[in-house]
Amino acid sequence: MVETWRLIDLEYREDPFRNMSVEEAIPRAVGEGAAPNTVRFWHNSNTIVLGCFQSADLEVNFDACKASGTEIVRRFTGGGAVYHDAGNLNYAISLKRGHPLVPGNDLQLVFQRLSEGTIAGLKSLGVNAEFQPINDIQVDGKKVSGAAGSIRWGTTFHHGCILVASDLAILGKVLNVPRVKLADRHVASVQKRVTTIRDELQKEITTRDVRNAIVQGIENVYNVRLEQGQLSKSEAANVKELYDTKYSTSKWNLEQ
Amino acid sequence: MISSSILSADYKAPGGKMLRVRLTEKNGRIENVKISGDFFLIPEDSLPKLEKMLEDTRLDEKELKLLVDRFFHGTNAQGLGISPDDFVKAILSTKSQ
């Protein structure tokens, strides 16, 4: 029998703090057995998303953020800072812990396995995408997507962002990239080692096109059916609580 | 004469992630330390435990290694993009940066 996963397109483009509250409420509910395995797609407009171990003071160019109206929010997973705008598509996969696709406790395997649906979707659009350890999807040596994830709350969780048609010029301004990181990769700037789906295909493409291709990719690669759904009442209540106590606070977002 | 100083280092694990260490040192020992970066570590809430354990430890390779290994064994923490040795090297490199 084909497994059915829930598909959620809930987003608050102008409220990255509420978006991140939804991002946490779903895997919590999945782990408790209160929600089915879930795939979510969403966007932020003009936001830096920090990894949970990063220092806002070290990573963020606050003056540039102020000038461009860029918001700053911290996620609950590790990894590096990313820039989101309407040309960036986010996806998140929450599977009950122990799911046969990712049965163990190996985060590297989670990134690889749960990137495969996305990669299949991108390939169907004509993009030569491949997984690049530790947590990237690359096209001809340039990063087009980064993932992060965790195994907690009884859930195996993977989320990633895909540069479909983002403004890479802003990306280079709002984040401070440490010199040792650039030196290690032998490139001079962030812009030179990232690309977008639009630039790779050399045609206009919407995040909706990419989202639809990834839905197909996920269904095919994992042999599942995605069924459109929404948050339960208890998930929605948890979103509100996470928003009030965590994601709307500068203590969580900036003071770490 | 007892003096304390603030030391910092950005350390990139070979083929891996960044560790950014900011610490206060007093008489060759860590007074307090803050580790940040773009690495993965699960469970995520174990990092403050490591920072706490490092307090009052000598800035010495052998002693740091012993403590970091004890942290990883004791908490079953799993790093990705960084190894226990990278934590040791990152902390030690504050002495030369």
Side-chain angles (χ1 to χ4, degrees):
Chain A
M1 206 183 90
V2 174
E3 225 177 284
T4 301
W5 294 356
R6 181 175 60 163
L7 175 60
I8 287 202
D9 284 289
L10 180 63
E11 65 174 14
Y12 300 91
R13 289 195 187 205
E14 303 305 324
D15 190 345
F17 314 107
R18 199 164 302 278
N19 261 335
M20 205 55 79
S21 307
V22 175
E23 197 75 341
E24 180 170 332
I26 291 173
R28 282 181 176 273
V30 169
E32 287 166 6
N37 295 330
T38 299
V39 177
R40 178 193 179 208
F41 292 94
W42 57 286
H43 302 76
N44 270 331
S45 59
N46 199 9
T47 301
I48 288 177
V49 179
L50 293 171
C52 67
F53 303 119
Q54 290 188 296
S55 153
D57 286 344
L58 294 177
E59 307 294 336
V60 176
N61 184 329
F62 289 99
D63 289 340
C65 284
K66 205 169 177 187
S68 54
T70 305
E71 301 275 17
I72 302 152
V73 66
R74 183 184 301 277
R75 60 178 186 266
F76 60 88
T77 53
V82 286
Y83 176 72
H84 290 178
D85 63 10
N88 175 82
L89 175 67
N90 301 301
Y91 71 103
I93 304 175
S94 299
L95 302 179
K96 181 104 172 137
R97 190 168 179 173
H99 190 281
L101 277 175
V102 276
N105 201 31
D106 180 348
L107 199 52
Q108 179 66 88
L109 187 70
V110 171
F111 291 152
Q112 183 168 347
R113 197 78 187 95
L114 297 185
S115 291
E116 285 170 5
T118 301
I119 290 170
L122 295 178
K123 281 189 166 163
S124 75
L125 294 169
V127 180
N128 184 27
E130 56 184 4
F131 182 69
Q132 174 68 31
I134 298 168
N135 56 324
D136 290 346
I137 296 173
Q138 284 194 349
V139 182
D140 298 329
K142 287 184 171 185
K143 176 173 173 172
V144 74
S145 176
S150 186
I151 302 166
R152 68 199 293 193
W153 308 315
T155 303
T156 301
F157 179 80
H158 168 103
H159 57 180
C161 54
I162 302 159
L163 294 164
V164 177
S166 287
D167 183 348
L168 298 184
I170 290 192
L171 167 83
K173 286 179 194 150
V174 291
L175 291 172
N176 301 325
V177 177
R179 272 176 303 152
V180 286
K181 186 161 178 173
L182 289 175
D184 184 69
R185 299 191 184 184
H186 307 288
V187 271
S189 76
V190 183
Q191 271 169 270
K192 286 184 182 161
R193 57 186 174 84
V194 298
T195 186
T196 64
I197 303 294
R198 179 191 56 199
D199 287 352
E200 292 304 311
L201 292 176
Q202 300 202 337
K203 67 172 187 187
E204 285 308 314
I205 182 160
T206 65
T207 55
R208 186 72 189 177
D209 299 329
V210 175
R211 176 249 182 227
N212 291 343
I214 294 173
V215 167
Q216 285 293 315
I218 286 174
E219 289 188 328
N220 294 340
V221 170
Y222 307 129
N223 191 29
V224 297
R225 199 170 64 84
L226 297 186
E227 190 176 271
Q228 198 80 46
Q230 50 194 359
L231 293 190
S232 68
K233 275 185 184 165
S234 70
E235 282 174 303
N238 205 12
V239 168
K240 187 179 181 319
E241 191 185 335
L242 286 164
Y243 180 87
D244 290 342
T245 60
K246 185 172 180 179
Y247 290 107
S248 68
T249 69
S250 60
K251 182 172 170 53
W252 168 258
N253 291 317
L254 303 177
E255 294 166 28
Q256 308 212 23
Chain B
M1 168 96 183
I2 296 170
S3 63
S4 73
S5 50
I6 294 167
L7 306 177
S8 71
D10 289 342
Y11 169 90
K12 169 89 171 56
K17 301 293 186 183
M18 283 267 304
L19 285 167
R20 312 188 78 170
V21 183
R22 305 291 181 267
L23 63 82
T24 315
E25 175 254 306
K26 198 172 184 178
N27 277 352
R29 289 182 181 273
I30 296 170
E31 215 169 33
N32 56 66
V33 59
K34 181 78 196 150
I35 300 170
S36 71
D38 63 354
F39 53 90
F40 295 96
L41 182 73
I42 52 174
E44 286 81 358
D45 57 11
S46 62
L47 186 64
K49 285 180 202 159
L50 174 60
E51 290 170 338
K52 190 81 193 156
M53 282 172 75
L54 286 164
E55 285 176 12
D56 210 32
T57 304
R58 270 199 318 131
L59 275 172
D60 162 87
E61 183 170 2
K62 216 169 157 185
E63 201 163 315
L64 287 170
K65 191 170 161 36
L66 205 72
L67 197 132
V68 169
D69 285 345
R70 192 187 304 155
F71 163 77
F72 275 96
H73 286 131
T75 57
N76 269 327
Q78 180 198 157
L80 180 61
I82 35 134
S83 67
D85 272 357
D86 289 321
F87 278 98
V88 175
K89 286 177 184 160
I91 295 164
L92 279 175
S93 68
T94 59
K95 292 207 287 187
S96 52
Q97 280 192 24

